[in-house]
Structures are given as C-alpha cells and as structure tokens.
Amino acid sequence: GAGVSQTPSNKVTEKGKYVELRCDPISGHTALYWYRQSLGQGPEFLIYFQGTGAADDSGLPNDRFFAVRPEGSVSTLKIQRTERGDSAVYLCASSYRGRREAFFGQGTRLTVV
Amino acid sequence: QKEVEQNSGPLSVPEGAIASLNCTYSDRVSQSFFWYRQYSGKSPELIMSIYSNGDKEDGRFTAQLNKASQYVSLLIRDSQPSDSATYLCAVILMNRDDKIIFGKGTRLHILP
C-alpha cells in the first residue's frame, strides 16, 4: 500500500481480555516500530524490528506485551490480560532502512474498560 | 538525563513571526535527527530530517543541527495558524541498536 496501515482504528475491550493490533508497513520497508502514546506525551518506544527479528524490545512494559513479524512485513502487537492502564494510542511506523526517517500509520486507539 | 528533551510549552507566537523549537539529546554518536508535526487526534507526520551539522531549509522550515552541543532546532518562518500543533523531535540512538526515540513534544500555538 501507499502508506502504513493499522487495524483496527479503535478497539474497546474489557479488562482482562486479549487484544491484537495489526500493522501493515509501507512495501519494501525493512524496519518496523511500535510506539504507545498517551495524552500529552510523546510516542513511547515499545519494540523495533529489522526484518523478521526484534532488534530491540526493551520498551515492552511487561510480559503481557508481545509482538511478532513472521514474514518481515505485517506485524502484530499482542496484549494479554489487558489492564485499564494499557489504554492509549498504539502507533506503528516503518522505514526503508533502520537509520532513515520513519513514517507512521494512523494509530489504533485502545480503550480498556 | 533523558535521551531526548524538549520544552513542553505551550509556545505562543504571533502570526507571521518566527517560531523556534529546540531539542537536546544525550547520545553523542547519534547521526540522524527528525522533526515531526502532530495535530490533535492525528498521528505524527514527518516534516524535516537532518543528518549533518548546520542548517537545512525546506520552504518555511529550517532545521539546525549542532552535534558538538547535542542540540537540534526547528525554525518556522512566517508562522501560520495552521502551524499550531505539537512538534516532536526524534533521534536515532546509535548506542541503542538504532531505535528512534522521541521527545515529549512542544505545543506550538500561533496567535492570529
């Protein structure tokens, strides 16, 4: 596609449920980033993929969060046993190479009730 | 010291004036620096990238980089009300596996 695509745009889930957020990067982009953004804050780094492997997952807040990118393209961020504190906008970005500018999708707004 | 620091603002600038946004970073060997604009309720949009010391101009925007001082800035000339947004500074941390880290952003308000 022409840009980074994230689905769903909005997700409301109950506390304790499992959610999956999907990111489809720009075609040919090898690097893929996940960020979380709360109101009034900058994007908080979660995980970064180069190809299929996670180059850096140091931003994942705990073991309830996990992300995969099995074929080096689409990525899925998975959150188990969701908590109200997980409510935020989850942003995905991709770049052609790991050292160049990244372009964002429209984000997924996750609300845990 | 935080990895990327910005004054949160809000910064209020009269229409037509120059808006100056500043950012400092902690990684001495960083080589890649970006400015993103984010409107309320939208995702960040890349507006400038800079890799070498000095100035880089693109239309009304000028990015300035000083690696010795670990400082990057964004100037917006002839500010317009449509420039009102949050501006995010981003740095690729070469000592942290090349991940892109963002500052908290500076809210800019252009006064008509």
Side-chain angles (χ1 to χ4, degrees):
Chain A
V4 179
S5 177
Q6 291 187 247
T7 54
S9 299
N10 284 282
K11 176 70 176 178
V12 180
T13 190
E14 292 181 347
K15 179 176 178 295
K17 298 290 188 184
Y18 168 83
V19 297
E20 289 190 351
L21 311 179
R22 175 188 168 105
C23 174
D24 196 344
I26 294 171
S27 179
H29 279 196
T30 57
L32 185 146
Y33 302 83
W34 283 99
Y35 295 87
R36 177 169 71 174
Q37 189 173 30
S38 300
L39 193 64
Q41 300 296 313
E44 173 194 3
F45 172 82
L46 296 177
I47 187 169
Y48 157 50
F49 288 90
Q50 265 292 7
T52 60
D56 188 327
D57 64 358
S58 62
L60 295 176
N62 51 59
D63 61 5
R64 295 187 298 106
F65 288 75
F66 189 70
V68 296
R69 195 185 184 199
E71 298 178 356
S73 179
V74 171
S75 176
T76 304
L77 178 65
K78 307 180 180 191
I79 311 174
Q80 298 177 321
R81 303 183 305 280
T82 51
E83 300 177 357
R84 293 194 178 88
D86 298 335
S87 297
V89 175
Y90 288 81
L91 296 166
C92 176
S94 69
S95 68
Y96 178 64
R97 287 188 299 270
R99 295 187 179 187
R100 308 303 274 186
E101 55 270 11
F103 299 91
F104 281 87
Q106 80 279 17
T108 294
R109 180 176 298 278
L110 175 66
T111 304
V112 181
V113 298
Chain B
Q1 181 186 6
K2 294 182 181 176
E3 292 168 320
V4 182
E5 293 204 62
Q6 296 181 254
N7 188 320
S8 61
L11 175 65
S12 295
V13 173
E15 184 175 356
I18 295 175
S20 177
L21 304 160
N22 304 315
C23 172
T24 58
Y25 59 94
S26 61
D27 179 9
R28 291 183 176 276
V29 297
S30 292
Q31 299 291 325
S32 305
F33 307 87
F34 312 103
W35 284 99
Y36 288 79
R37 177 177 63 199
Q38 186 173 30
Y39 293 114
S40 181
K42 302 294 186 182
S43 61
E45 170 194 13
L46 178 71
I47 54 171
M48 290 287 287
S49 57
I50 187 166
Y51 306 100
S52 304
N53 275 330
D55 294 0
K56 178 182 177 183
E57 186 174 321
D58 184 0
R60 295 187 296 111
F61 298 99
T62 299
Q64 299 176 316
L65 176 60
N66 183 326
K67 291 183 181 179
S69 299
Q70 295 174 235
Y71 177 91
V72 58
S73 64
L74 179 71
L75 301 178
I76 307 174
R77 290 183 300 282
D78 187 24
S79 297
Q80 303 296 310
S82 61
D83 295 326
S84 297
T86 295
Y87 290 79
L88 299 162
C89 173
V91 177
I92 293 185
L93 300 183
M94 293 182 65
N95 68 351
R96 298 286 298 276
D97 299 314
D98 293 351
K99 67 187 183 186
I100 303 177
I101 296 297
F102 285 80
K104 295 193 172 198
T106 298
R107 285 184 294 135
L108 175 65
H109 181 50
I110 305 301
L111 303 169

